[in-house]
Amino acid sequence: MPSITVLGAGSWGTALSVVLADNNHQVTLWGRSADSAREINENHTNVKYLPGVLLPETIRATNDLQEALKGSDTILLVVPTKAMRDILKDIKSNLERPVTFVHASKGIEPETYLRVSEIIEEEIPENLRKAVVVLSGPSHAEEVSTRQPTTVTSSSVNMKAAEFVQDLFMNTNFRVYTNPDLIGVEIGGSLKNIIALGAGMTSGLGYGDNAKAALMTRGLAEIARLGMKLGANPMTFAGLSGLGDLIVTCTSVHSRNWRAGNMIGKGRTVPEVLEEMGMVVEGIRTTKAAYQLASLEKVDMPITSGLYDVLFNGKEPEAAVEELMGRVKKHEVEDLKLGETDPLNDMEP
């Protein structure tokens, strides 16, 4: 049986540990809290993050990183992106042999604009990593941990590694597809959190389904524009890690990004929201990174820009919406090069 170390004992790391344990893999779950590790080992619960869920007894938890990594074939990273570099440095000093790195974290690093797979490649020497794989898609931990039907994507530049991870996770409750477009899968999974913040904000402002549908549709256009500029396959954004993840994150009460946006739309400040939620809201940090990256790459991302102003410049949410609605008129498919013979040019105004 493959020996797998899961780093991050929050809701998502614990839920993925359930999937792996159901598949009869040896799973060691690492978290910083000794009390949490004791609870998982003795009670087989993680009440703080997954209340009401009984965990498989085969999951072994520890707060000792060296112990967690000992004998591991595969490392699954499920930590916030802001903690990724620090944990990778600790991993590097404790690795005895090359392993496969899988990450299920969604975000872009501000200032460097690196995706998580690129951060892994920067921090872990080539002689200590067999491959880097991302696992992404529409998947709430609350549903995965109770074995509700879920589909995700495994992506890597090394397709044998992507298929290896597909085999690790796939079962009758958790279906895994493969996709060679690592850039597109990571960009889609990261930027959908920005749009989910906006979707929550529109609900908090009292707007209805029309506004949410518009935001999601135009948000997907923004995600695809930036992704394609970075080298992604546009078809990826119509798949699980694009449209699929966008739908589930923008419409579910399980989404912490939606909840954070909803609270901001109701008048709460960002510090108040973060303090009350007590969990990382990846979309806030990713909004800053995406805004900076779009400016650098000269990619038009008006929704991201509007949210950036709300989150970091103190703009009122209502004012940001008014500005978005008042933009100059455009073709819906604004990146299409219209020629003289294009039928769209012959349409009556």
Side-chain angles (χ1 to χ4, degrees):
M1 293 184 296
S3 177
I4 304 162
T5 299
V6 181
L7 301 181
S11 56
W12 192 215
T14 305
L16 289 175
S17 296
V18 170
V19 177
L20 293 167
D22 283 350
N23 289 351
N24 297 316
H25 302 311
Q26 295 178 3
V27 181
T28 302
L29 177 59
W30 174 88
R32 297 190 184 278
S33 169
D35 289 339
S36 177
R38 190 178 304 110
E39 178 196 347
I40 293 169
N41 289 331
E42 295 179 0
N43 302 334
H44 311 297
T45 60
N46 191 348
V47 173
K48 179 179 179 181
Y49 293 104
L50 292 173
V53 175
L54 186 64
L55 306 177
E57 295 184 9
T58 54
I59 295 175
R60 182 175 66 89
T62 179
N63 68 324
D64 184 322
L65 184 62
Q66 186 175 14
E67 178 188 345
L69 295 174
K70 189 174 182 179
S72 180
D73 303 303
T74 303
I75 295 175
L76 173 60
L77 293 156
V78 199
V79 298
T81 54
K82 70 176 184 179
M84 190 63 67
R85 282 193 185 273
D86 288 340
I87 193 66
L88 287 169
K89 292 180 191 300
D90 291 339
I91 291 170
K92 180 171 60 177
S93 63
N94 284 285
L95 273 185
E96 300 173 347
R97 61 176 194 241
V99 300
T100 299
F101 283 86
V102 186
H103 84 81
S105 301
K106 298 173 181 179
I108 299 173
E109 189 174 52
E111 311 305 332
T112 69
Y113 318 125
L114 294 179
R115 294 172 282 109
V116 174
S117 66
E118 295 174 307
I119 298 173
I120 296 171
E121 290 171 350
E122 270 199 356
E123 293 294 340
I124 303 297
E126 192 171 353
N127 67 311
L128 289 177
R129 50 182 162 85
K130 293 179 181 178
V132 178
V133 184
V134 57
L135 193 71
S136 187
S139 47
H140 285 310
E142 295 83 355
E143 296 180 9
V144 171
S145 63
T146 56
R147 299 170 179 83
Q148 295 187 39
T150 301
T151 54
V152 298
T153 296
S154 169
S155 179
S156 176
V157 295
N158 180 338
M159 284 308 292
K160 286 186 177 180
E163 290 166 359
F164 167 73
V165 171
Q166 181 184 41
D167 291 338
L168 282 182
F169 283 92
M170 187 132 164
N171 60 37
T172 55
N173 304 310
F174 199 80
R175 182 169 177 79
V176 185
Y177 291 85
T178 58
N179 186 334
D181 181 19
L182 182 61
I183 296 174
V185 169
E186 286 188 296
I187 289 295
S190 299
L191 300 193
K192 56 90 184 182
N193 285 330
I194 302 173
I195 309 306
L197 278 171
M201 202 175 297
T202 60
S203 294
L205 288 168
Y207 302 145
D209 293 339
N210 292 350
K212 183 183 291 185
L215 185 83
M216 291 170 63
T217 306
R218 299 310 303 160
L220 184 61
E222 287 193 12
I223 293 171
R225 270 200 300 273
L226 182 59
M228 290 166 63
K229 185 65 179 286
L230 298 175
N233 182 339
M235 290 303 296
T236 296
F237 302 111
L240 291 168
S241 59
L243 180 60
D245 211 354
L246 184 69
I247 290 171
V248 77
T249 313
C250 287
T251 61
S252 174
V253 294
H254 293 315
S255 167
R256 67 184 67 172
N257 289 282
W258 185 93
R259 296 202 309 271
N262 187 257
M263 293 165 69
I264 292 169
K266 291 179 177 177
R268 307 293 291 278
T269 67
V270 173
E272 288 173 346
V273 169
L274 294 177
E275 182 178 357
E276 181 171 331
M277 293 190 67
M279 293 185 290
V280 173
V281 181
E282 287 283 9
I284 293 176
R285 192 168 184 260
T286 303
T287 297
K288 182 177 183 180
Y291 173 81
Q292 294 171 339
L293 180 56
S295 300
L296 182 68
E297 296 288 346
K298 296 180 172 53
V299 175
D300 185 31
M301 298 185 72
I303 296 173
T304 301
S305 296
L307 284 167
Y308 177 85
D309 283 339
V310 171
L311 296 173
F312 298 101
N313 293 333
K315 177 176 277 190
E316 291 296 326
E318 296 93 335
V321 172
E322 288 177 9
E323 188 172 303
L324 282 170
M325 293 298 290
R327 297 172 69 232
V328 296
K329 64 180 185 178
K330 304 181 72 174
H331 283 294
E332 182 180 15
V333 190
E334 63 270 22
D335 293 325
L336 181 65
K337 301 296 184 183
L338 297 177
E340 291 183 2
T341 59
D342 195 298
L344 284 176
N345 288 334
D346 297 326
M347 292 175 64
E348 291 293 331

